[in-house]
Amino acid sequence: MGTLTPARDSIPSRGTGQVEFLPRESPMEMPSRPLGQFQRQEPALRSTGSAPALAPFASRSTGLRRACIFAGTAVLTVAGCYEMYEVLQVGGITVLESIVLGLFVLLFAWVAFSFMSSLAGFCVLLFRRPDGLGIDPGAALPAIGIRTAMLLPTYNEDPDRILARLRAICESVEETGSALQFDWFVLSDTTDPATWIAEEQAFLQLRRDLAGVRLFYRHRPENTARKSGNIEDWVKRFGADYECMIILDADSLMAGDAVVRLVAAMERHPQVALIQTLPLVVNARTRFARLQQFAGRLYGPLIAAGIAWWHGSEGNYWGHNAIIRVRAFAQDAGLPELKGRKPFGGHILSHDFVEAALMRRAGWAIHMAPALGGSFEECPPSLLDFAARDRRWCQGNLQHLAVLPSRGLHWVSRLHLLTGIGSYLTAPLWLMFLLLGILISLQAQFVRPEYFPKGFSLFPKWPAQDPILAAWVFAGTMALLIVPKLLAFILLLTQSDNRRKFGGGLRVLAGIVLETLISGLIAPVMMIFQSSAVGGILLGRDAGWQVQRRDNGEVPLREVVRKYWVPTLFGVGMAISAYAVSLPLLLWMAPVIIGLLLAVPIATLTSAGGSASRLFGTPEQTAPPRVLLRANELANELSKAAHPSAAGPLQTLRHDPGLLEAHLNNLSGQKPRGRGQVDPHLAIARAKVEDAQSFDEAVNYLSSRETFAVLHSPSVLAALFELPPGTDTVADPG
């Protein structure tokens, strides 16, 4: 693609000709909003000069929609729980049976609630109801007049891959003719020295390839508050120049058409603070990832349409592929630190839910645009990677227990927080339900029943539960889980173009059957993993923040066994306990037990690529959109052109004066360290450099943390580069 049209301001440069990494600063205040203090603004104070007319409370139609969802959930829950009571009440309800019944009420209500949202989504898509924001992907592309910043936060990710995706988005936006309204920022929180310098190299090359585009790079010395702190830092330094910002993830991809329509919607609706798109999974390379890609593409639109229908202006935020009004975010979404120690205290990990709730608390509307299209992401390549990410999300969602009592939150926002919490607490509840069911069966098998209870009885009382009724309860629960998948299939049959891109109705139906079976085997394993995560967090173990793998899902067998021995052991224990009662009980629990016993082979098989990709094909796989083709083309070109080098980051800077100058220019925009604030890693590194006889000797003695500190210090870098090269090969003691 050719050079993009120059932006309204030329990219600034120093006298040496080296381009600056950052634009001039345009600060915006972003105060922290206490969760326990809030006073709703009076209508008279909502002037057009400081804020637009804010979003009203739910309209009558939205109220009716919500009433339908909750009434349907209540009816289904009462019916299911009555049948479960009929199963358990034979011979009287024991303490264990009372607990089981209580757990069933909670779990069945959870399933029924999800079913009702899916049913609503089916009706919305079947009758093609228009988008509430007026976003029509089939209409002519609107003109836009407000400035928007595209923000790409990154943390120790592959620079070539993320910048290939960013370039594809940039080129796609340029094709819409609206490129002048966008600035592009790479916001790095990278802590690995080699990755940091590689980011700067890749950024400079992208600057050369996209001459004239306002493209900037900022690196933070400390990744305080992680991603939320990264965005907050940008708002405080540059936010005043922009009306909106679109938040991307390292694996995000968006079509220019979708980007422009989002900006136009924000321009038409000044009371809206955030519009969340539905990112579709793409680029799946392993069986596990393809399974997630197929399920998300087929069932995701149905679920998203349903929740958007009844959420209305009280939608939610998923942290990426969303557009946000900068002023609303800065004024009302500043996050406080939670009291107490980690894992419940400190910075909020799952910040997105809370930011949406705080903006809605202030009166701004939060919407979802599930039918927009052109929004993509990737997913973890293996069940092990998925569980690792899920562990971090689990901690973030459980932190919301401290957010729930916040003053002024809309009740739907509280429901979002409760839903996030419940998505992880249901795992240990299911586990308790299964274990208590086995205990009840063991009790019935080995504890002698009382045939003649107290009082006169002519005939003995034979305790016996109705297996037919129990089967109907099980079938009803499974129906609520499986029917939404069938509704998605029925919907697909009405969409000829979409059905063709999926590979035809028969192939999709076969995919649904296989996906249901595999997901059914994976579900018990995830139940154990999530239960373990909840238990660990309750015991005070912090999840941390690990870099997510993107491509290769293959894990050594020894690692698989080490990670999956706990689910396997649970499977053995359940099998022995069930068999001790009866063979029918063992067969009844077979779906759960088989999934646990086969945890290791299932994990191994699904983490590799294979022929399953033909069965689990999606439209984005068979007919990829242009932006996806371009992003993959750029990523492949960069991977072929890349030549692994043994040179470290300091050696790379020493042999590339242009990169060194750019690196120093980037450091000039950072705030100086306060007097009396000492970085111990920099102090040790300075001493090692002063003591070294050569550059090579100094570099070999620096640990990774010390190298990172040196890269942030122009004075120590200068002293290091004044040393003679040397030929030392001293091992790194750090």
Side-chain angles (χ1 to χ4, degrees), residues 147-353:
R147 296 191 67 208
T148 300
M150 304 290 294
L151 307 185
L152 174 59
T154 180
Y155 175 75
N156 293 329
E157 298 279 352
D158 180 350
D160 291 333
R161 292 288 302 276
I162 63 169
L163 292 183
R165 284 188 282 265
L166 188 67
R167 177 174 176 178
I169 303 172
C170 189
E171 292 178 351
S172 184
V173 169
E174 196 270 341
E175 291 173 354
T176 68
S178 300
L180 293 178
Q181 304 306 125
F182 295 89
D183 287 358
W184 306 76
F185 289 82
V186 179
L187 306 178
S188 174
D189 265 1
T190 292
T191 56
D192 178 67
T195 304
W196 176 16
I197 300 305
E199 284 175 358
E200 293 184 337
Q201 282 183 305
F203 171 79
L204 290 176
Q205 183 59 51
L206 185 59
R207 266 272 184 88
R208 289 188 287 269
D209 293 338
L210 300 179
V213 174
R214 288 180 59 82
L215 179 65
F216 304 104
Y217 174 91
R218 192 270 286 124
H219 181 269
R220 284 202 305 168
E222 299 178 0
N223 61 331
T224 305
R226 300 183 172 97
K227 184 179 177 180
S228 62
N230 199 350
I231 301 299
E232 180 181 334
D233 175 81
W234 178 88
V235 170
K236 289 180 175 179
R237 294 180 63 184
F238 308 103
D241 266 355
Y242 304 93
E243 179 68 22
C244 296
M245 56 184 178
I246 293 181
I247 310 296
L248 304 170
D249 253 359
D251 61 347
S252 291
L253 188 65
M254 296 186 73
D257 180 277
V259 168
V260 171
R261 293 186 192 279
L262 284 174
V263 175
M266 295 292 278
E267 205 167 4
R268 287 194 306 270
H269 302 283
Q271 79 280 12
V272 173
L274 185 149
I275 303 175
Q276 175 67 62
T277 67
L278 174 64
L280 300 175
V281 176
V282 294
N283 288 336
R285 297 175 178 84
T286 65
R287 292 190 181 100
F288 178 82
R290 288 172 184 137
L291 191 76
Q292 301 300 312
Q293 179 177 272
F294 174 80
R297 183 62 175 86
L298 186 59
Y299 317 137
L302 185 81
I303 299 170
I307 62 176
W309 178 75
W310 68 268
H311 283 178
S313 60
E314 285 75 44
N316 207 356
Y317 173 38
W318 299 338
H320 61 281
N321 292 37
I323 187 168
I324 304 175
R325 197 173 301 278
V326 176
R327 179 159 43 94
F329 189 81
Q331 289 176 353
D332 301 305
L335 298 178
E337 282 194 51
L338 299 178
K339 295 180 180 179
R341 299 173 57 187
K342 294 180 180 180
F344 288 102
H347 298 291
I348 300 174
L349 293 181
S350 293
H351 54 91
D352 38 15
F353 281 35

Side-chain angles (χ1 to χ4, degrees), residues 68 188 243 313 447 462 504 549:
C68 289
S188 174
E243 179 68 22
S313 60
V447 176
W462 304 101
R549 292 197 306 168

Side-chain angles (χ1 to χ4, degrees), residues 240-486:
D241 266 355
Y242 304 93
E243 179 68 22
C244 296
M245 56 184 178
I246 293 181
I247 310 296
L248 304 170
D249 253 359
D251 61 347
S252 291
L253 188 65
M254 296 186 73
D257 180 277
V259 168
V260 171
R261 293 186 192 279
L262 284 174
V263 175
M266 295 292 278
E267 205 167 4
R268 287 194 306 270
H269 302 283
Q271 79 280 12
V272 173
L274 185 149
I275 303 175
Q276 175 67 62
T277 67
L278 174 64
L280 300 175
V281 176
V282 294
N283 288 336
R285 297 175 178 84
T286 65
R287 292 190 181 100
F288 178 82
R290 288 172 184 137
L291 191 76
Q292 301 300 312
Q293 179 177 272
F294 174 80
R297 183 62 175 86
L298 186 59
Y299 317 137
L302 185 81
I303 299 170
I307 62 176
W309 178 75
W310 68 268
H311 283 178
S313 60
E314 285 75 44
N316 207 356
Y317 173 38
W318 299 338
H320 61 281
N321 292 37
I323 187 168
I324 304 175
R325 197 173 301 278
V326 176
R327 179 159 43 94
F329 189 81
Q331 289 176 353
D332 301 305
L335 298 178
E337 282 194 51
L338 299 178
K339 295 180 180 179
R341 299 173 57 187
K342 294 180 180 180
F344 288 102
H347 298 291
I348 300 174
L349 293 181
S350 293
H351 54 91
D352 38 15
F353 281 35
V354 182
E355 288 160 347
L358 293 179
M359 286 188 284
R360 185 62 192 90
R361 179 175 75 167
W364 297 93
I366 311 295
H367 282 275
M368 185 175 184
L372 175 61
S375 178
F376 310 101
E377 64 178 349
E378 296 180 3
C379 76
S382 71
L383 180 58
L384 205 57
D385 294 294
F386 186 89
R389 186 186 70 176
D390 203 59
R391 170 66 172 80
R392 186 178 73 241
W393 287 0
C394 177
Q395 179 173 330
N397 278 272
L398 292 185
Q399 279 184 317
H400 294 167
L401 288 167
V403 181
L404 276 174
S406 302
R407 294 189 60 186
L409 295 185
H410 193 281
W411 70 268
V412 176
S413 297
R414 295 188 200 274
L415 183 61
H416 294 323
L417 298 173
L418 276 171
T419 302
I421 296 167
S423 63
Y424 291 96
L425 291 185
T426 50
L429 292 181
W430 275 114
L431 183 59
M432 289 172 59
F433 179 79
L434 292 172
L435 294 178
L436 287 174
I438 293 177
L439 285 177
I440 290 173
S441 299
L442 288 171
Q443 183 185 55
Q445 179 72 14
F446 296 107
V447 176
R448 184 176 179 178
E450 187 177 357
Y451 295 103
F452 293 93
K454 292 181 180 179
F456 176 77
S457 177
L458 186 60
F459 300 102
K461 187 173 183 180
W462 304 101
Q465 294 175 343
D466 188 346
I468 303 299
L469 187 58
W472 276 110
V473 173
F474 176 79
T477 307
M478 291 298 101
L480 294 185
L481 294 171
I482 294 174
V483 167
K485 300 184 179 187
L486 298 180

Side-chain angles (χ1 to χ4, degrees), residues 96-109:
L96 285 180
E97 289 172 337
S98 299
I99 297 174
V100 166
L101 184 60
L103 290 174
F104 185 81
V105 171
L106 293 174
L107 295 170
F108 194 87

